[in-house]
Amino acid sequence: MTPLFYLKTFGCQMNKHDSDSVSQILLNEGYRQSEIAEDAQIILINTCAVRKKAEDKALTLIGRLASLKQKNPDIIMGVLGCVAQNQGVDLLRRFPHLDLVIGPRNIHHIDKLKTRNRKEKNMVSCLDWTDNICLFPKYNGYLKGKVTCFLKVMEGCDNFCSYCIVPFVRGRETSLPATIILDRAHQLIREGIREIILIGQNVNSYNVKNKAKPSFAGLLRALDGISGLQRLRFTTSHPKDLSDELIGLFGELKTLCPHIHLPVQSGSDAVLRRMSRGYTVEHYMTLIEKLRTTRPDIAVSSDMIVGFPGETDEDFQESLSLVDELRFDNLFSFRYSDRRGTKATGFPNKVGEREKQERLSLLQERQARITLAKNKSLEGTVQTVLVEGPAKHGGEQRSGRTGGNKVVNFASNTSLTGALVRIKVIKGFQNSLFGEFSGPESHSVE
Ligand code: SAM
Ligand code: SF4
């Protein structure tokens, strides 16, 4: 009988990319993926430590899984990712049912580590700070039916924003060689992928530290020239590293989608300074103006933290005003949480949990109105949409995304997966658009 593995992923796109790599390694070893932990011989949890909430959820799940190990001691149980890196052997002490603890830079050793665990009949941890991060295993059909795919261009971060745990758990910034990225992009396209999303914690500082070529702009130019690639996106960019050259590419490259995720974090200069972000609100606003001048239809999304230590009511009002002024297409907002080892953990004047929640609700209400208004303003327009597959709620509806990264559902009795189509927007909702098919932009790949 084919052995099964179960893999639960918490957190960001980087974690999803890492989980895809782990899944491919196990599939190549002859395992099959199961959606049910109880059925699996290997159970893995890929964890996120960026905010307390995600970490707590992962720890609760790890605790709950102890009963499965009691029932069947032959199961291999492992924790991967940022919580694994951060808590290391403490996790093995706290959860004696665990077999493996593997940090984000070592997940591609999953096959060797699980074999070692069986041979030595002992818990195994692997938390080395290796720069060997080329997590590009063979696909073996893994991408079948997929249209869009993440492609990692760098690992780690050197910015040390005062609230952020990433540099401590993913290590120093390491850019992957461009030849490897380009080879992988060619492979992805041969496998049927039409849209590539370059990912890294700070993609626009790609190759800066090691003074290597190409720059991030050069990498985008090279990717844009690959035949068969229809769309190119990247995330996340840091405002302090967003060059005029990179902004200019939004008006130049045919595959680069009119969307940028540019986290601002706060609308108050005093808070930005204490966050060690390296830019002012004015600089951020200038960047948005330049982006909108270069590409008037560009969609901008951002991240904000509320309740950072010392954030006053006035600081928070400045964040609200910035949101009103810049009118983001989308905003991901979070309550600040202390992360072990970060500078902000020791900052005075912590904001109370109730205050943080109230500020978060106010900010989210404000943004929800803007997002809805932006989506409604697209009613009557015709958008180019890359069709990704059946809509979530089923029926005969298909789903895809506009260049501005908005989800569009529309009725169709043919698959159209992988095709660029023209959709007339009928209705703008809070989280998606509904439209009708008004013709192909290119041929379907199916
Ligand atoms: N590299 C990206 C950047 O520079 O903006 C973001 C990476 S971080 C994994 C994703 C988001 O989580 C951040 O933009 C920030 O808004 C949020 N975040 C990070 N640390 C946080 C903390 N301690 N409390 C609350 N939110 C946090
Ligand atoms: Fe964290 Fe700042 Fe690095 Fe983003 S740039 S990953 S927020 S330290």
Side-chain angles (χ1 to χ4, degrees):
M1 215 170 63
T2 314
L4 299 177
F5 72 95
Y6 170 86
L7 173 52
K8 169 80 184 168
T9 306
F10 290 93
C12 62
Q13 293 157 337
M14 290 296 271
N15 265 14
K16 289 188 187 117
H17 183 284
D18 288 348
S19 285
D20 281 348
S21 300
V22 169
S23 300
Q24 285 157 43
I25 292 169
L26 294 175
L27 290 168
N28 291 342
E29 283 218 325
Y31 284 83
R32 234 173 0 100
Q33 191 151 11
S34 166
E35 296 302 313
I36 303 162
E38 283 76 359
D39 293 346
Q41 287 76 49
I42 301 184
I43 297 179
L44 299 171
I45 316 295
N46 192 5
T47 55
C48 171
V50 168
R51 285 173 296 276
K52 186 171 181 301
K53 202 166 144 190
E55 180 169 319
D56 289 349
K57 272 196 209 160
L59 293 173
T60 306
L61 177 61
I62 295 165
R64 273 210 338 255
L65 289 170
S67 62
L68 288 186
K69 184 79 173 180
Q70 271 161 11
K71 272 191 225 145
N72 179 4
D74 287 339
I75 290 174
I76 297 180
M77 229 173 241
V79 178
L80 318 176
C82 298
V83 177
Q85 187 70 44
N86 200 27
Q87 302 201 7
V89 282
D90 286 352
L91 268 184
L92 294 174
R93 269 189 224 112
R94 181 169 166 195
F95 299 108
H97 60 286
L98 289 179
D99 298 292
L100 302 171
V101 170
I102 309 176
R105 291 203 174 219
N106 296 287
I107 55 168
H108 52 304
H109 296 312
I110 179 77
D111 45 350
K112 284 183 231 120
L113 295 170
K114 77 173 169 40
T115 308
R116 209 177 100 197
N117 165 263
R118 288 296 99 152
K119 221 154 95 191
E120 295 175 4
K121 295 190 174 40
N122 214 345
M123 296 161 156
V124 170
S125 68
C126 188
L127 309 165
D128 305 342
W129 290 115
T130 168
D131 273 355
N132 172 20
I133 51 165
C134 297
L135 301 167
F136 294 157
K138 274 196 228 132
Y139 285 118
N140 283 347
Y142 186 74
L143 294 173
K144 200 169 181 321
K146 293 196 178 130
V147 170
T148 168
C149 186
F150 293 125
L151 173 51
K152 190 187 275 197
V153 299
M154 57 158 53
E155 177 64 271
C157 180
D158 287 352
N159 283 322
F160 288 92
C161 299
S162 63
Y163 51 81
C164 184
I165 202 166
V166 169
F168 301 91
V169 288
R170 285 194 173 267
R172 293 299 85 76
E173 189 180 286
T174 313
S175 297
L176 268 68
T179 45
I180 291 181
I181 297 167
L182 289 165
D183 271 3
R184 190 59 163 189
H186 279 285
Q187 256 181 50
L188 290 173
I189 291 159
R190 279 198 300 274
E191 297 269 339
I193 292 298
R194 293 289 168 263
E195 174 183 81
I196 290 178
I197 308 169
L198 304 179
I199 54 167
Q201 294 298 341
N202 192 8
V203 284
N204 47 345
S205 67
Y206 175 77
N207 265 348
V208 170
K209 174 167 96 172
N210 47 344
K211 299 191 177 75
K213 289 254 180 289
S215 64
F216 188 59
L219 181 67
L220 291 178
R221 282 204 172 91
L223 287 160
D224 185 60
I226 299 180
S227 143
L229 179 70
Q230 284 175 333
R231 282 184 166 181
L232 186 57
R233 299 182 192 272
F234 58 84
T235 189
T236 298
S237 311
H238 196 301
K240 77 175 168 51
D241 299 315
L242 187 61
S243 66
D244 286 347
E245 184 189 9
L246 186 52
I247 292 176
L249 293 187
F250 282 103
E252 196 187 306
L253 302 187
K254 62 179 189 324
T255 59
L256 188 59
C257 288
H259 171 232
I260 188 164
H261 183 64
L262 196 64
V264 62
Q265 311 298 2
S266 172
S268 151
D269 280 338
V271 173
L272 286 178
R273 219 173 300 120
R274 289 203 306 283
M275 287 177 162
S276 313
R277 287 292 287 177
Y279 55 84
T280 59
V281 174
E282 193 185 342
H283 178 69
Y284 185 88
M285 289 175 78
T286 311
L287 293 175
I288 302 297
E289 200 182 302
K290 282 184 188 171
L291 284 160
R292 286 178 171 159
T293 308
T294 308
R295 187 78 204 241
D297 63 341
I298 197 163
V300 181
S301 55
S302 194
D303 291 349
M304 260 194 184
I305 296 176
V306 299
F308 185 75
E311 184 190 69
T312 60
D313 249 338
E314 291 71 38
D315 293 322
F316 175 63
Q317 288 305 325
E318 288 187 288
S319 288
L320 285 180
S321 305
L322 189 70
V323 163
D324 281 341
E325 182 150 357
L326 291 181
R327 296 181 66 76
F328 296 117
D329 289 76
N330 212 348
L331 180 70
F332 301 89
S333 45
F334 314 102
R335 277 177 295 165
Y336 166 79
S337 57
D338 272 342
R339 302 285 68 208
R340 191 169 76 172
T342 61
K343 233 167 128 188
T345 304
F347 286 180
N349 303 322
K350 293 277 162 62
V351 178
E353 286 306 318
R354 224 181 61 202
E355 185 67 42
K356 277 194 247 177
Q357 185 52 52
E358 275 170 21
R359 289 181 188 175
L360 186 68
S361 303
L362 275 172
L363 181 63
Q364 290 184 339
E365 274 162 32
R366 190 74 64 99
Q367 179 60 40
R369 284 203 294 270
I370 296 169
T371 302
L372 181 62
K374 286 228 163 194
N375 288 351
K376 285 200 160 300
S377 74
L378 294 176
E379 289 174 3
T381 65
V382 175
Q383 299 286 321
T384 302
V385 170
L386 178 63
V387 184
E388 292 174 11
K392 264 198 191 133
H393 43 78
E396 294 232 303
Q397 282 191 23
R398 311 267 115 203
S399 186
R401 277 171 199 268
T402 64
N405 210 28
K406 292 181 197 288
V407 172
V408 185
N409 298 311
F410 64 99
S412 169
N413 46 20
T414 51
S415 155
L416 294 172
T417 299
L420 273 179
V421 296
R422 289 159 59 75
I423 302 290
K424 181 166 182 199
V425 179
I426 306 295
K427 193 105 187 103
F429 298 108
Q430 191 64 58
N431 298 315
S432 64
L433 308 172
F434 179 74
E436 63 186 25
F437 180 74
S438 74
E441 184 85 14
S442 75
H443 295 296
S444 166
V445 293
E446 285 198 337

